[in-house]
Amino acid sequence: MDHFPTNWGRPRNDAFDAYGTYPLAQRPYNGPKDTFEAGVQRTQQPIVTGTSVLALKYKDGIMMAADNLASYGSLARFKDIQRLHPVGNNTVIGAGGDMSDFQYIQSLLDSLMIEEFTAQDGHSLGPAELHEYLAQVMYGRRSKINPLWNSLIVGGFKDGKRFLSYVDLLGTTYSASTLATGYGAYIAQPLLRKAVEGYEDVLTEEQAEKIMTECLKVLFYRDARSLNKYQIATITTKGVNLSESRSLDTTWSFAEGIRGYGAQTQ
Amino acid sequence: MSIMEYNGGSVIAMVGKDCVAIASDLRLGNQALGVSSNFQKIFPVTDRIYLGLPGLATDVTTLRELFRYRVNMYTVKEERDIEPETFAHLVSSTLYERRFGPFFIEPVIAGMSKTPAGGLKPFIAATDLIGCLNFAKDFVVAGTASSKLFGVAEGLWEPDLEPEDLFETISQTMLNAVDRDAYSGWGVMVHVITKDKVISRTLKGRMD
Amino acid sequence: MPDMVSLSRAASGQPSQFKTPYSENGGTILAVAGSRFCVVAGDTRRTDGYSQTRYAPKVFRLTDKAVLAVNGFSADGNMFVNKVRQQLEWYRHGHARDMPLHEIARLMQTMLYARRFFPYYVSNILSGIEEDGSGAVYTFDSVGSYERDTCRVAGAAQSFMQPYLDNQDDWYTRPSVHYKNQRSTHSSSRPTQLPLSSVLSLVMDSFVNASERHVEVGDGLEIYVVLAKGSSLQGLEKLTGAQEVTATSDGERVFTVRRSLRRD
């Protein structure tokens, strides 16, 4: 029931405000509604989202990192979500963007790998093939104006070669020795480039991991949709290694001294 | 369609060795329709300051008269000619007066300014339509062909050009830039200002 | 409150609706035809707003006599190159030879126009050697209009580079005129067609100039040179970093040259 009397009936002449309701000239429409007034909306918007994924090349292969948060708008909704997904023995896919779309992609890839396995033809899909497949899927969906709302990073190591490439909801692809999606592209990418460009063949796993955690820490401080719980994946000659969830050590004592940041004393 | 492209037109100024040059096209258009091939956009302010006013044609006339008035008032009060630097600030503040309802003009200023030692040194400047000054050491561009002028000037300009070489450089820059701009062209006017004289030439350009 | 209801409807414009299936990835491409060679170049920066990556090629060797440069929305560009390559492969299977350049040009028009109502958001420049041995450049808009040309720039810095090249380059379509707008002063002493070495340095200079003034141009420069059957290397052998990428021994030869551009 609408308890606002001015909304009950419309004056006979719409141009004349008979009840003198100005400035409340705009009233809600209380008549029947057509759910599909804007047509059938196939295009969605991201709902439950993951933020940055980071990736870099180092001496032994590829290292990727992502936190464990899936947000619902500004709500930190799911705090134990895996955003790094191993596919086969040589590849890891990392995803930012809509998590349900990502889980759909995971199921696509898993059934694809099963299909390839049952062929038993001595071939298996490596990172390059999976990236091409994903690029085609993503481009195909954007061409139907019904995209899978993700930025994906494909990292892998196969036949002695490192592979690191990106694909997003528009089907755009590129590769580089460091990659970052979401806020990471603005905040972590410059740090990664400074630490990695030119040192791809000398960085050890320890050094790479230090760079990664440093970047994740900066992201956690500055990206409001991030979490201090994360996983790191490496893909090397030894195959895929996905770490357990870890925590970042962060300091907040400095906030006390900053006006507008911590508790106010005056 | 932007009001800055309503009448078309472009201006460029360059620094040389003990000289400056300023050039404009001569087209006046009504959007894509060419109306006049002798529309001056560069005006003398003093014996050694020239002012280029590319933009909306009605404002070209208005601003020319406004600056004539203000420079005359300055000359009468100060009993001397205005210096290019001072004039640039006069242009800037005049445009900023209309911050929220601007003149649609991007002025270009070229002149020779007095040094403390009594000599003359080249000076160029340009502003946007609300008077943000740009004192460049090499060249300034404005108008509908500005990005093309940037491209050619970046390739052709070099430091310390003698007056005749500067004339050739600014002429080539202007001609080739306006040939790729539908809203500029129909002839070019060039002024080279040196210590003791001003060389003004009209160039024949493509008429399409 | 009534007005709050209407406000909330207006303000609830969803945070990130999928508005367009396109994006614009910056960069610039260019091609110049000589009498017996052609040069195709593109920078390797790929931008997305203010984000950027350093190496995303947009110049591709199609055959030993054809090179295709694509600029605009990179996903469409890559897809289009793939589709053209597929057609060329089928042609080679069917005809036991590479498709001639002018035929590739017409094929591209057909392919682009086929998507008239959902276009590939790409400016294409096709360049290579014609059957008569001459260097040629074909430029396309995104829906397939095309023309043969001698010198063409497309992309973010088009307006910076095209008039500069008009000035410096030979004007092929009217062989009596050399060096645009420099007729009266120099015409008698200029060559009818610029030599390869001058074209290469012109191309490099143009990109350096463009990267100076445009944020979307930079990082790297990738140049392809195609030489007609039987023509000499014309100084290519002395050029640092020149690499041959010829695939067949049909006669035409393809080379790549890479240079770095400013990275800021």
Side-chain angles (χ1 to χ4, degrees):
Chain A
M1 173 73 189
D2 190 338
H3 293 280
F4 215 92
T6 52
N7 294 332
W8 295 348
R10 302 289 295 162
R12 233 174 303 175
N13 180 356
D14 263 4
F16 173 65
D17 190 8
Y19 299 111
T21 57
Y22 183 84
L24 305 180
Q26 285 215 5
R27 296 180 212 99
Y29 174 66
N30 284 339
K33 272 185 190 127
D34 178 8
T35 316
F36 295 103
E37 60 181 348
V40 180
Q41 300 289 294
R42 289 174 299 161
T43 310
Q44 359 70 343
Q45 31 162 339
I47 306 292
V48 177
T49 58
T51 181
S52 321
V53 184
L54 310 181
L56 59 82
K57 280 186 185 169
Y58 70 104
K59 186 163 67 86
D60 309 323
I62 300 293
M63 182 176 286
M64 296 172 67
D67 66 25
N68 286 320
L69 179 65
S71 311
Y72 179 77
S74 59
L75 174 70
R77 180 66 180 81
F78 305 104
K79 296 165 91 160
D80 193 22
I81 289 287
Q82 252 198 44
R83 298 199 290 120
L84 298 176
H85 176 67
V87 185
N89 302 320
N90 308 302
T91 313
V92 171
I93 314 279
D98 192 280
M99 286 298 106
S100 62
D101 280 353
F102 179 48
Q103 285 168 7
Y104 169 70
I105 289 169
Q106 290 176 22
S107 75
L108 274 187
L109 291 173
D110 290 344
S111 33
L112 179 73
M113 294 307 279
I114 291 169
E115 203 178 312
E116 291 292 323
F117 175 79
T118 51
Q120 284 295 311
D121 55 4
H123 296 288
S124 68
L125 296 184
E129 293 80 10
L130 288 168
H131 176 260
E132 185 60 32
Y133 174 80
L134 282 173
Q136 296 295 329
V137 170
M138 299 296 271
Y139 184 81
R141 287 290 292 260
R142 89 95 215 191
S143 297
K144 290 185 199 163
I145 322 290
N146 187 198
L148 293 168
W149 208 288
N150 299 104
S151 323
L152 303 168
I153 290 180
V154 182
F157 191 92
K158 200 186 178 195
D159 305 328
K161 278 207 193 96
R162 294 171 294 187
F163 180 92
L164 187 54
S165 210
Y166 166 97
V167 58
D168 67 12
L169 75 166
L170 289 172
T172 339
T173 59
Y174 57 86
S175 56
S177 52
T178 63
L179 287 176
T181 71
Y183 263 96
Y186 301 101
I187 296 171
Q189 181 74 301
L191 304 168
L192 288 170
R193 282 185 181 165
K194 195 173 175 188
V196 176
E197 269 186 6
Y199 308 108
E200 293 90 348
D201 301 326
V202 291
L203 283 177
T204 63
E205 186 156 331
E206 290 71 43
Q207 288 170 315
E209 201 169 314
K210 189 156 176 287
I211 295 165
M212 276 300 192
T213 47
E214 205 55 39
C215 289
L216 286 164
K217 204 179 280 186
V218 176
L219 279 171
F220 177 57
Y221 279 126
R222 284 296 173 183
D223 177 3
R225 306 281 171 268
S226 66
L227 194 66
N228 63 340
K229 218 172 111 198
Y230 68 99
Q231 283 170 293
I232 281 187
T234 56
I235 313 98
T236 58
T237 21
K238 286 179 240 159
V240 173
N241 179 51
L242 181 61
S243 77
E244 290 298 303
S245 288
R246 306 168 188 178
S247 260
L248 285 166
D249 289 325
T250 48
T251 321
W252 292 94
S253 52
F254 67 91
E256 289 298 315
I258 301 174
R259 204 174 143 75
Y261 218 90
Q264 293 308 304
T265 49
Q266 44 158 19
Chain B
M1 166 52 95
S2 159
I3 201 156
M4 296 301 288
E5 277 106 56
Y6 187 71
N7 299 117
S10 304
V11 174
I12 182 171
M14 282 180 174
V15 168
K17 188 172 165 51
D18 299 323
C19 59
V20 285
I22 182 167
S24 79
D25 68 324
L26 291 173
R27 182 179 183 271
L28 169 74
N30 188 219
Q31 305 207 51
L33 172 68
V35 172
S36 165
S37 58
N38 190 28
F39 185 75
Q40 301 292 334
K41 295 171 190 73
I42 301 178
F43 308 102
V45 176
T46 68
D47 289 346
R48 43 191 176 80
I49 303 175
Y50 276 71
L51 169 67
L53 298 169
L56 191 70
T58 182
D59 289 345
V60 173
T61 320
T62 310
L63 279 182
R64 185 190 58 182
E65 291 305 313
L66 186 60
F67 287 129
R68 190 166 73 92
Y69 166 72
R70 290 195 169 172
V71 168
N72 282 345
M73 291 306 286
Y74 182 95
T75 318
V76 168
K77 280 183 186 159
E78 299 279 327
E79 298 183 318
R80 64 183 169 89
D81 273 353
I82 194 168
E83 282 301 303
E85 285 86 347
T86 322
F87 180 66
H89 282 99
L90 172 69
V91 170
S92 170
S93 55
T94 305
L95 292 182
Y96 198 78
E97 275 179 12
R98 293 279 177 273
R99 170 62 179 79
F100 296 110
F103 292 114
F104 297 101
I105 295 282
E106 294 175 331
V108 170
I109 299 142
M112 299 294 283
S113 65
K114 279 209 179 91
T115 59
L120 288 169
K121 70 171 183 15
F123 172 89
I124 56 165
T127 88
D128 64 7
L129 73 168
I130 51 170
C132 175
L133 278 164
N134 167 20
F135 303 109
K137 288 180 182 62
D138 42 12
F139 50 83
V140 286
V141 300
T144 52
S146 58
S147 63
K148 287 129 192 163
L149 287 164
F150 258 131
V152 191
E154 187 69 51
L156 296 187
W157 185 87
E158 45 191 285
D160 296 325
L161 289 163
E162 296 295 333
E164 276 308 310
D165 297 332
L166 184 67
F167 167 76
E168 191 63 27
T169 306
I170 200 169
S171 302
Q172 286 299 325
T173 305
M174 197 67 199
L175 286 169
N176 288 285
V178 300
D179 281 357
R180 284 284 179 183
D181 184 30
Y183 297 111
S184 302
W186 270 18
V188 166
M189 180 102 215
V190 185
H191 305 277
V192 182
I193 311 164
T194 64
K195 278 177 174 167
D196 48 357
K197 62 176 185 292
V198 178
I199 309 158
S200 299
R201 293 188 179 115
T202 308
L203 306 180
K204 196 163 82 176
R206 289 174 66 112
M207 300 302 279
D208 56 359
Chain C
M1 293 296 287
D3 51 350
M4 286 180 69
V5 175
S6 55
L7 264 181
S8 67
R9 280 189 86 183
S12 69
Q14 309 300 349
S16 49
Q17 278 279 355
F18 189 66
K19 292 221 181 64
T20 161
Y22 296 115
S23 77
E24 167 63 62
N25 301 116
T28 284
I29 50 172
L30 115 75
V32 184
S35 55
R36 305 264 301 150
F37 67 85
C38 74
V39 176
V40 193
D43 68 326
T44 63
R45 178 174 289 182
R46 199 203 76 99
T47 61
D48 192 349
Y50 289 118
S51 291
Q52 142 261 33
T53 52
R54 301 200 193 286
Y55 186 72
K58 44 185 169 280
V59 188
F60 303 93
R61 193 191 69 89
L62 296 178
T63 66
D64 278 342
K65 47 179 155 265
V67 175
L68 177 58
V70 290
N71 194 263
F73 174 34
S74 66
D76 271 355
N78 292 332
M79 179 55 72
F80 187 69
V81 169
N82 282 340
K83 299 230 160 182
V84 173
R85 280 186 163 156
Q86 188 179 45
Q87 293 288 334
L88 293 181
E89 188 177 332
W90 285 338
Y91 184 97
R92 199 171 161 80
H93 290 321
H95 298 78
R97 64 175 179 131
D98 282 333
M99 189 185 282
L101 194 69
H102 67 276
E103 285 181 35
I104 303 179
R106 178 59 64 84
L107 170 72
M108 281 173 57
Q109 168 175 67
T110 316
M111 293 173 69
L112 288 165
Y113 195 80
R115 290 280 296 264
R116 171 61 180 77
F117 298 106
F118 186 18
Y120 290 111
Y121 208 78
V122 177
S123 308
N124 286 289
I125 299 182
L126 172 71
S127 185
I129 305 294
E130 290 284 18
E131 283 169 307
D132 65 1
S134 62
V137 171
Y138 289 93
T139 60
F140 299 77
D141 74 358
S142 51
V143 286
S145 296
Y146 78 110
E147 62 173 346
R148 189 174 164 177
D149 214 331
T150 38
C151 171
R152 176 63 77 175
V153 191
Q158 184 188 44
S159 63
F160 292 75
M161 285 162 63
Q162 186 73 62
Y164 176 66
L165 288 165
D166 287 346
N167 182 226
Q168 298 287 309
D169 206 59
D170 218 12
W171 202 243
Y172 169 88
T173 45
R174 289 172 298 167
S176 58
V177 183
H178 319 294
Y179 290 80
K180 273 204 101 186
N181 288 311
Q182 297 181 46
R183 233 178 307 193
S184 53
T185 43
H186 303 293
S187 62
S188 54
S189 60
R190 298 295 170 178
T192 10
Q193 295 262 284
L194 288 178
L196 178 60
S197 55
S198 335
V199 171
L200 280 172
S201 50
L202 201 54
V203 166
M204 291 176 196
D205 285 354
S206 307
F207 272 94
V208 169
N209 289 341
S211 67
E212 200 76 31
R213 291 283 181 184
H214 203 116
V215 289
E216 289 175 1
V217 179
D219 286 326
L221 173 59
E222 200 161 62
I223 306 173
Y224 279 73
V225 180
V226 190
L227 299 179
K229 264 179 210 165
S231 56
S232 70
L233 285 175
Q234 300 165 61
L236 261 182
E237 71 283 359
K238 277 177 283 182
L239 200 69
T240 45
Q243 248 185 320
E244 180 152 12
V245 290
T246 316
T248 64
S249 51
D250 287 354
E252 287 88 358
R253 299 172 74 181
V254 189
F255 297 82
T256 58
V257 184
R258 289 195 179 83
R259 288 290 179 271
S260 51
L261 292 173
R262 51 189 300 158
R263 290 149 71 93
D264 57 355

